[in-house]
């Protein structure tokens, strides 16, 4: 929503200006995020495409293509959170689940990673998860999902952890 909507930095041109400000100061920018696979965090029309998987897939890929190739972003942002919080945000995987070629639905993530390689070779790709104390991380769900992607042929999967701390957690209690 942040890319297509008018918040979190304003228009697309404003977002390009923000990236330029950082890169003019030799500050590397990692893009966040190409896909946040929950309906509530995705462009508003995606949920309506859940009954038409080819259209949903095309819409997702077009969105990713635009972000990676947008003037002022292309070849400037070379590190991207491709997937964000995909253990708890399962709407897109659930839409694909059980259809031909998608027994778990998460197979779409491998296709997305490979698509990023195709249209933006050399991009450093991340799966990003929130909260080191998140139950999905603690119960190995995150690890298993990443392993599935690698086993299916996703190349260059990097792991990112973000944190939304509402209170301070001493490091010895965070693991």
């Amino acid at each position: 929503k942040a890319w297509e909507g008018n918040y979190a930095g304003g228009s697309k041109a404003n977002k390009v200006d923000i990236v330029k400000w950082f890169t003019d100061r030799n500050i590397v920018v990692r893009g966040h995020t190409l896909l946040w696979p929950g309906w509530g965090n995705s462009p508003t029309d995606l949920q309506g495409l859940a009954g038409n998987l080819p259209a949903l897939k095309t819409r997702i890929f077009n969105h990713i293509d635009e972000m990676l190739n947008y003037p002022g972003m292309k070849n400037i942002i070379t590190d991207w959170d491709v997937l964000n919080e995909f253990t708890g945000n399962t709407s897109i995987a659930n839409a694909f689940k059980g259809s031909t070629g998608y027994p778990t639905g998460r197979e779409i993530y491998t296709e997305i990673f490979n698509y990023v390689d195709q249209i933006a070779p050399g991009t450093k790709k991340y799966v990003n998860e929130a909260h080191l104390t998140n139950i999905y991380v603690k119960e190995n769900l995150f690890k298993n999902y990443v392993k599935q992607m690698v086993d299916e042929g996703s190349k260059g999967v990097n792991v990112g952890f973000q944190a939304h701390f509402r209170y301070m957690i001493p490091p010895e209690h965070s693991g």
Side-chain angles (χ1 to χ4, degrees):
K1 287 183 179 179
W3 178 250
E4 295 182 10
N6 193 18
Y7 73 96
S11 69
K12 292 174 186 175
N14 292 133
K15 292 172 180 84
V16 169
D17 289 343
I18 291 167
V19 169
K20 184 173 180 349
W21 186 92
F22 280 106
T23 57
D24 284 350
R25 288 155 180 79
N26 296 316
I27 300 170
V28 177
V29 176
R30 182 163 110 192
H32 179 81
T33 180
L34 295 176
L35 181 65
W36 200 342
W39 299 137
N41 300 307
S42 295
T44 53
D45 65 309
L46 259 63
Q47 185 173 5
L49 297 173
N52 183 346
L53 296 181
L56 176 60
K57 185 175 171 180
T58 296
R59 174 66 171 94
I60 290 168
F61 282 36
N62 287 343
H63 171 81
I64 290 169
D65 187 47
E66 179 187 25
M67 290 182 73
L68 289 173
N69 290 304
Y70 198 81
M73 300 285 209
K74 182 178 182 172
N75 299 322
I76 304 297
I77 300 178
T78 57
D79 291 18
W80 278 94
D81 291 333
V82 176
L83 294 171
N84 186 53
E85 299 176 0
F86 73 121
T87 57
N89 290 274
T90 59
S91 303
I92 290 173
N94 288 341
F96 282 90
K97 184 178 181 176
S99 63
T100 303
Y102 300 92
T104 69
R106 293 184 304 275
E107 294 79 9
I108 188 66
Y109 302 148
T110 296
E111 291 180 32
I112 289 167
F113 259 69
N114 292 338
Y115 184 69
V116 170
D117 279 340
Q118 177 187 337
I119 65 168
T123 297
K124 190 168 185 180
K125 303 171 302 298
Y126 291 85
V127 289
N128 187 60
E129 190 56 66
H131 309 290
L132 294 174
T133 57
N134 185 320
I135 190 167
Y136 302 115
V137 175
K138 285 183 155 281
E139 298 299 322
N140 288 324
L141 190 61
F142 179 77
K143 178 181 173 184
N144 293 337
Y145 284 7
V146 172
K147 184 179 181 323
Q148 176 188 354
M149 290 176 61
V150 171
D151 290 348
E152 290 174 352
S154 294
K155 293 177 180 53
V157 178
N158 295 283
V159 173
F161 288 105
Q162 65 179 328
H164 299 261
F165 291 108
R166 289 178 181 84
Y167 53 89
M168 296 301 294
I169 298 175
E172 61 272 11
H173 295 283
S174 65

